[in-house]
Amino acid sequence: MQKKYIPFAVFFVALLVFLAHFGTRYTTAAKPAVVFADTEKQIYLTFDDGPSTKVTGAILDTLNKENVKATFFVVGDRVYGRREILRRMAKEGHSIGVHSTTHIASQIYASDEALLKDIADCAAVIRDVTGVSPTLYRFPYGGEKRARQKSLVEAQGYTVISWNAECGDGVAKNATAESIVETAVRTAGNKTRVVLLMHDGAGHGATVEALPRIIAHFREAGYAFRAF
Ligand SMILES: [Zn+2]
């Protein structure tokens, strides 16, 4: 290289270094990542009242096969004899939250102390089996209207999770797979973020049957599956 070109070469290299450094930082900062997350259609499958041996096992099989992560709000008393199922939930990447220890309304809501003890005992079972302290909570019997108790639970460090869509498997004793799919689709409507209430307690065989069709429907409709 001739001597007179050396200053130009130095300037050119310096310019490249400058662009590589600050140019990259600028484009990274300008990426609209948050906007994408807010507009993405998302569905949270949430299962209450388990674990049960057959139903929860079959639901975990389907979720595993479909590569979908879900959230389970468990009943502490139902974990005895089913510790392996709870361990499997955690191992397969699902979220586990507190629902209740007994699921007996008169006991849970007898007093504030009773409510907090019901939660603490269930949390202890989850922690004992999975090694992880739960931070999610769902009120039994539609407690989303219990504003005062909600503040109490939140003060314990829990995030209270309600729902905005349901599949009718908890209320209708004779819910069929067809009615469950239809109710889930209808109550979800065209919400961007769907939190679907389902049940995996014993006797919810119709939910097991409906689950692959619910997943197929929302996947087809462009929803991403999320766990809390
Ligand atoms: Zn329940």
Side-chain angles (χ1 to χ4, degrees), residues 48-49 73 75 78 99-100 103 138-142 197 199:
D48 287 11
D49 295 0
F73 292 97
V75 176
R78 296 177 190 165
H99 192 36
S100 171
H103 211 283
R138 174 170 279 163
F139 279 104
Y141 306 100
L197 171 66
H199 292 85

Side-chain angles (χ1 to χ4, degrees), residues 40-44 192 194 218-219 221-227:
E40 186 190 21
K41 290 204 278 185
Q42 302 175 341
I43 183 165
Y44 293 76
T192 303
V194 175
F218 286 97
R219 187 166 270 157
Y223 282 83
F225 292 87
R226 297 270 182 267

